[in-house]
Amino acid sequence: MKHRNYKFQSVLWGIAVCSMAVLLVLAGKTKTEAATVSSFQVRTVPVKNAIAKAPSVSLTWKADATANAYEIVRSDSVSGQYRQIAFLVGADATSYIDTNVQKGQTYYYRIRTYRISSWTDVYGEYTAPVKLTVSSKLVRPKLSYKRTKNKLAITFKTAEGTEYESQYRFAGQKKWKNLASISGKMTKTIKAKVNSQAKFTIRIRTKMKINGKTVYSKWSKSYTVK
């Protein structure tokens, strides 16, 4: 009877040792599989919408063939709290556009890989924080014009800002004059009355307040109204 108990205990001990060995192998495998994204770049993207108040930020990084997904986090300070802004599925998902940014603000980005290994969630290490200060400059507006009798329609193709202002001058004049009738909050199309029969030239720029300071775009190309 004692001999049988001893033999049974030996079998149990052998099973326990094998199980422990398997667990150690799996643990070691999970640890060594954790990888990092080696590097990534950040750049601002010019606004392509007709009217916009803020630009976008483009993030790109090198692919990790063993990743199932990538997590992107952002903070307002290098040592502040980082919050997830994106979780992209696929090893080839190597770019992301962050549209929730404001001009003149500084952001810090970090990325790490994610994969499932042995039914376990495995995260790689975060990349070092990458700092980006979004430019306060406004893009030069691109416009199209259309005159019908005594009405002038000006449509923004590309612009940034919250307001605009315009200037005009008659043929032969060098000094620009403010055209207050079409200044104010930005809309996609401006409609103004044109009472004069004389030929004149018009130009427009946009503006907005950034950190308490009014920032202006460059003047658009001038357009001669005939």
Side-chain angles (χ1 to χ4, degrees), residues 3-37:
H3 178 70
R4 289 181 179 179
N5 288 339
Y6 177 75
K7 187 176 181 179
F8 181 68
Q9 290 175 359
S10 298
V11 171
L12 290 177
W13 176 251
I15 293 173
V17 170
C18 290
S19 300
M20 183 64 71
V22 170
L23 289 173
L24 288 174
V25 169
L26 289 176
K29 186 178 180 181
T30 300
K31 184 177 181 180
T32 56
E33 279 188 352
T36 61
V37 180

Side-chain angles (χ1 to χ4, degrees), residues 20-60:
M20 183 64 71
V22 170
L23 289 173
L24 288 174
V25 169
L26 289 176
K29 186 178 180 181
T30 300
K31 184 177 181 180
T32 56
E33 279 188 352
T36 61
V37 180
S38 56
S39 63
F40 73 100
Q41 299 175 339
V42 183
R43 66 185 181 90
T44 55
V45 180
V47 173
K48 295 184 179 180
N49 295 328
I51 303 296
K53 297 181 180 180
S56 300
V57 170
S58 176
L59 312 176
T60 59

Side-chain angles (χ1 to χ4, degrees), residues 109-161:
Y109 295 90
R110 305 182 77 179
I111 297 177
R112 66 176 177 176
T113 57
Y114 165 84
R115 72 176 56 81
I116 298 177
S117 177
S118 301
W119 304 100
T120 302
D121 293 336
V122 180
Y123 287 90
E125 295 179 5
Y126 280 115
T127 58
V130 173
K131 178 182 179 181
L132 172 72
T133 299
V134 182
S135 174
S136 296
K137 294 182 179 179
L138 302 180
V139 298
R140 186 182 186 184
K142 293 182 180 180
L143 314 167
S144 63
Y145 300 84
K146 184 178 180 180
R147 181 179 180 178
T148 305
K149 294 183 179 181
N150 65 337
K151 293 182 180 180
L152 177 65
I154 306 170
T155 302
F156 287 92
K157 291 183 176 180
T158 302
E160 288 181 310

Side-chain angles (χ1 to χ4, degrees), residues 199-215:
K199 183 172 67 174
F200 66 95
T201 302
I202 190 173
R203 65 180 184 177
I204 293 175
R205 68 178 178 180
T206 60
K207 63 181 180 180
M208 68 182 296
K209 282 193 175 183
I210 299 176
N211 298 326
K213 181 180 178 181
T214 302
V215 178

